Amino acid sequence: GENVEQHPSTLSVQEGDSAVIKCTYSDSASNYFPWYKQELGKRPQLIIDIRSNVGEKKDQRIAVTLNKTAKHFSLHITETQPEDSAVYFCAASEGSGGSYIPTFGRGTSLIVHP
Amino acid sequence: KAGVTQTPRYLIKTRGQQVTLSCSPISGHRSVSWYQQTPGQGLQFLFEYFSETQRNKGNFPGRFSGRQFSNSRSEMNVSTLELGDSALYLCASKEGKNEQFFGPGTRLTVL
């Protein structure tokens, strides 16, 4: 089955710095890669996703890059703010036609110091 | 639209008992997935239901089961509870290839 490794497990940055979280996956059949943000005591929320036919996607201060050959994808957050502090999960998923079988990374706790 | 709702929010059971959790998806969403979240194992996929049929299944024992009703509401059942089943159980709904939305979760404690 799929295996997703996520690094680092904890990331501490100063407000305004950039943060990068990296994930690797094992199954070349995976074709959908979402990133979720989970604040303490709250539900996970999708912040950005990318499909295997795209190499990069941006949404304001957040970007995701995908390298299918190397089987890794990364989340980039620029100009970090204290409200970005949360646990971030990556996932790799295979499926088609809306079917979704995700495998998650273990999460990265991002701490943004004011 | 109302978000995904789950009941109950908190549950305490003892070993050997069984439990049923309920999830109401966003109106119009036909896919409902269930996840287990624990500090040790992280977030793990249990199963996905679509139009009353189990479409995908994760790597969990047969004690974990689920079903979906014609109105897309879903229930999951855990029989013969073990201490290790203590977790936050999340459901999520989506329609087609669109974004998946999570519910608030049910916190299950097994004593």
Side-chain angles (χ1 to χ4, degrees), chain A residues 94-105:
Chain A
E94 59 175 309
S96 60
S99 178
Y100 183 56
I101 311 166
T103 301
F104 293 88

Side-chain angles (χ1 to χ4, degrees), chain B residues 73-84:
Chain B
R73 190 177 69 84
S74 178
E75 290 181 345
M76 69 162 280
N77 184 278
V78 188
S79 62
T80 320
L81 283 166
E82 301 176 0
L83 295 178

Side-chain angles (χ1 to χ4, degrees), chain A residues 59-80:
Chain A
D59 183 3
Q60 300 182 346
R61 297 186 296 109
I62 294 172
V64 56
T65 58
L66 171 65
N67 183 326
K68 286 188 297 182
T69 304
K71 296 200 190 79
H72 67 70
F73 56 113
S74 300
L75 177 71
H76 304 253
I77 305 174
T78 58
E79 299 171 30
T80 53

